[in-house]
Amino acid sequence: MAALELFNTLSGKVEALQPMGAPALRMYACGPTVYDYGHIGNFRTFLHVDVLRRFLRQQGVAVEHVMNVTDVDDKIIRNALAAGKPIAEYTTRFERAFFEDMEALGIERPEHTPRATEHIPEMVSLIERLAAKDIAYQTEDGSWYFRIARFAGYGKLSKKDLEGIEDGARVDADEYEKDAARDFALWKAVKIGADGVSEPSWQTALGAGRPGWHIECSAMATALLGESFDLHAGGEDLMFPHHENEIAQSESASGHPFARHWMHVRFLLVEGKKMAKSEGNFYTLRDLLLKGHRASAIRYLLLSVPYRHQMNFTFDGLAAATHTIERLRTFHRRMLRGGFATDGVNAAVSAATAKAAGDFTAALANDLNTAEATAAISEMVRAANSAADAGTLTAENAEAVLRVLALFDEIFAVLEDRDEERTRAALAWAEAEGRIREAAPELVAKLALGDSEIEALIAERTQAKNSRNFARADAIRVDLAAKGIVLEDSKDGVRWKRK
RNA sequence: GGCGCGGUACCCAAGUGGUAAGGGAGAGGUCUGCAAAACCUUUAUGCGCCGGUUCGAUCCCGGCCCGCGCCUCCA
């Protein structure tokens, strides 16, 4: 296997990532807080983690991947209250939507996707272990905090020193009583709202309350992967304080190193600006599908810039990604269609194929350089198309090309065209939610035309062409094009596709 | 203020101490009844600016300008 060299935030260096002490590589990635639909920024992170796990498996490394679902937190409580629903009902809906979106984007499901609310006992016992060492302490309101001063390594991940943190930090006004400003909550005592209704809470040995944000990841990672494991990943914003606090809690309790390797995916910009509702450039996956953009193009675009670079998501870029995928799929179909010479091989294509496979793997092994990986494939595509045009591509070449495409698609997963199915699902969802007006009108019209109607029109056009009635033939083609159907005449008949 | 990242053609973007991958877009051409698809040619003497090191720098060092991120339970 090619060793994967991956940047490690903890060491600040690119280092080999390999499983230690277990047959599988154990990794934990911070998952969604299910309080709303996932946006493209969320998915950029999950997509790159997906590439990581797919590449590891391609290289023969088994993966045991945990992604938590945060189903209790302040935003959930606030939104569920506003919606007048119990939090479980509220989160179930968004959790389901999240996994549907993962599926639409071709993101593999991790081996474990634990919910925070199902691991409260583990969190409580972790806090108890900290309390026994006087690292966790209870304040007058019943909440529990972590005593940062007791963890010497605090700041080692985000490269912050405690002084700097305290100087620069704003202190949350309602978090009084703490011993030090940056001590963070492990357990939040139950609060009674102004209306006398209490927030969701669990009655535990720590008192009635709910978990702090960081403790769930420490508890679930430890429960499922052990006290020490190989890799922990997440968005760059989580580096501090979330991951720093996870390390502090976990290592203070266990006395062992927590995750050896840390991977952080940088944020994206949308049309050059930070994505924010106030900027009007905030997009969920569903928003984009309803505008007629394809799930595969979104996946490809979000992966096209390596994870450690800030990427600028633009609609021009999305159009370019759509064209790139079209080209790859057209090429893939051409290779599958066959009809190539059966004797010998085209040496130039063989060389291009071998080079593409090697470059592709080397690019990904080099800190997951997805941009270089896609470039490796493009060079092969041109060589093979060129030879096929010249009639010098053989069946053996085509098979080799298909093997490289399979290698590519095991990671990028865009060749199989399930876009229409996904768009239809998004439309059905919008319909059910009463949000169909948000869908692009031409999209609805496009999908209204069934395959059999299209094929009938194509048959009519072929007849017209045969009787040299080109005016009629062209009219049909133009009409179909307006509905997003593109025709291609070829020696062996007419091919069509939805654009 | 602290920590960090980036400025490469119209857009996105890779990259190396030895003379600029790839994708999209544009232009011209081949093919086609015309298209589409595909292929060919073409689009940075240049990699933010100024110095320095070097035989040689886009790539190393220093300074400057510009943009951006984190330090706010936002991936």
Side-chain angles (χ1 to χ4, degrees):
Chain A
M1 71 171 233
L4 169 60
E5 296 280 327
L6 189 72
F7 184 80
N8 182 358
T9 309
L10 192 57
S11 67
K13 289 187 295 223
V14 175
E15 295 172 347
L17 175 66
Q18 274 162 348
M20 271 184 77
L25 188 134
R26 290 165 295 158
M27 56 185 275
Y28 186 95
C30 290
T33 299
V34 284
Y35 68 102
D36 204 345
Y37 294 105
H39 56 69
I40 54 176
N42 294 316
F43 290 117
R44 165 145 137 114
T45 299
F46 299 125
L47 243 5
H48 280 279
V49 171
D50 187 54
V51 163
L52 169 71
R53 75 181 317 252
R54 283 170 178 266
F55 183 65
L56 285 167
R57 293 182 358 144
Q58 186 172 76
Q59 295 308 308
V61 179
V63 169
E64 186 166 10
H65 175 189
V66 178
M67 182 187 73
N68 64 295
V69 173
T70 299
D71 58 351
V72 55
D73 97 316
D74 292 348
K75 290 189 296 289
I76 290 172
I77 292 168
R78 189 224 308 140
N79 289 9
L81 201 67
K85 288 183 177 162
I87 66 163
E89 186 184 329
Y90 186 80
T91 56
T92 300
R93 172 178 168 211
F94 289 110
E95 182 186 306
R96 189 183 311 124
F98 177 78
F99 283 109
E100 284 168 8
D101 290 350
M102 291 263 287
E103 164 80 19
L105 287 170
I107 301 172
E108 291 181 344
R109 188 150 183 146
E111 282 65 34
H112 309 277
T113 55
R115 296 188 183 97
T117 56
E118 292 170 2
H119 292 268
I120 304 283
E122 289 94 324
M123 298 182 210
V124 170
S125 77
L126 181 55
I127 296 168
E128 286 175 326
R129 286 172 79 186
L130 292 169
K133 297 181 181 180
D134 192 37
I135 294 171
Y137 62 92
Q138 193 169 24
T139 54
E140 270 178 42
D141 73 333
S143 294
W144 291 80
Y145 288 90
F146 183 94
R147 205 185 298 284
I148 282 185
R150 288 286 305 280
F151 185 66
Y154 198 79
K156 65 183 177 183
L157 180 70
S158 53
K159 323 290 179 221
K160 293 180 190 302
D161 58 60
L162 262 169
E163 319 261 321
I165 294 168
E166 285 175 3
D167 291 348
R170 283 167 232 186
V171 180
D172 193 344
D174 73 32
E175 291 184 305
Y176 48 94
E177 304 181 87
K178 291 188 287 184
D179 289 2
R182 287 314 284 193
D183 284 357
F184 58 89
L186 295 163
W187 185 259
K188 298 182 175 185
V190 65
K191 281 188 206 154
I192 310 294
D195 52 4
V197 178
S198 68
E199 291 178 346
S201 66
W202 285 259
Q203 186 60 53
T204 71
L206 299 169
R210 60 191 167 93
W213 174 35
H214 317 294
I215 197 72
E216 62 169 278
C217 288
S218 288
M220 295 192 286
T222 303
L224 290 158
L225 299 175
E227 289 177 340
S228 295
F229 52 95
D230 300 303
L231 173 77
H232 194 126
E236 63 168 328
D237 61 313
L238 298 180
M239 195 167 94
F240 184 88
H242 183 54
H243 290 161
E244 201 71 70
N245 291 351
E246 279 187 58
I247 291 173
Q249 296 165 342
S250 306
E251 297 191 354
S252 294
S254 75
H256 302 300
F258 189 45
R260 291 188 302 115
H261 214 114
W262 289 79
M263 170 189 183
H264 290 98
V265 181
R266 283 206 72 183
F267 270 15
L268 55 70
L269 263 32
V270 176
E271 299 292 347
K273 289 184 175 161
K274 181 165 170 140
M275 183 172 72
K277 286 179 178 158
S278 58
E279 288 284 351
N281 64 352
F282 183 94
Y283 299 106
T284 65
L285 173 65
R286 286 156 196 251
D287 290 337
L288 296 179
L289 293 178
L290 291 184
K291 290 175 90 151
H293 301 292
R294 302 176 186 196
S296 62
I298 296 166
R299 176 181 172 97
Y300 190 86
L301 178 60
L302 290 173
L303 288 178
S304 65
V305 177
Y307 78 97
R308 275 217 286 155
H309 291 278
Q310 185 175 63
M311 87 157 290
N312 185 12
F313 185 99
T314 66
F315 287 96
D316 282 352
L318 195 49
T322 305
H323 287 134
T324 300
I325 290 172
E326 241 349 284
R327 173 177 151 86
L328 287 171
R329 286 179 178 167
T330 301
F331 175 69
H332 186 221
R333 286 192 296 266
R334 184 180 198 181
M335 292 298 110
L336 286 174
R337 206 180 301 131
F340 305 112
T342 50
D343 54 319
V345 295
N346 179 319
V349 175
S350 294
T353 309
K355 183 175 189 307
D359 288 354
F360 179 78
T361 299
L364 291 175
N366 178 21
D367 203 19
L368 300 175
N369 191 333
T370 46
E372 232 185 322
T374 57
I377 298 303
S378 294
E379 292 171 48
M380 174 187 79
V381 171
R382 191 165 8 80
N385 262 329
S386 186
D389 279 1
T392 60
L393 188 97
T394 70
E396 193 177 326
N397 282 325
E399 275 173 36
V401 166
L402 285 169
R403 278 195 295 275
V404 177
L405 283 180
L407 199 69
F408 162 80
D409 211 46
E410 278 171 19
I411 307 298
F412 283 88
V414 292
L415 292 181
E416 188 191 358
D417 187 352
R418 298 184 61 187
D419 290 319
E420 188 184 326
E421 171 193 336
R422 274 143 188 176
T423 299
R424 286 187 192 281
L427 285 171
W429 162 79
E431 188 72 57
E433 292 284 315
R435 293 173 62 172
I436 195 68
R437 288 177 54 230
E438 292 171 32
E442 62 272 22
L443 184 64
V444 180
K446 240 186 233 183
L447 294 177
L449 202 59
D451 290 8
S452 56
E453 296 168 71
I454 294 167
E455 273 151 25
L457 284 166
I458 289 173
E460 188 189 337
R461 172 172 170 274
T462 303
Q463 284 235 309
K465 256 187 15 166
N466 289 344
S467 50
R468 304 198 64 81
N469 182 357
F470 293 121
R472 175 63 189 147
D474 290 352
I476 291 171
R477 187 171 61 196
V478 168
D479 183 50
L480 283 171
K483 289 170 179 155
I485 311 300
V486 180
L487 303 190
E488 282 176 34
D489 292 336
S490 81
K491 283 185 282 295
D492 22 67
V494 183
R495 289 193 281 271
W496 67 273
K497 63 188 178 189
R498 293 182 197 270
K499 200 171 166 65

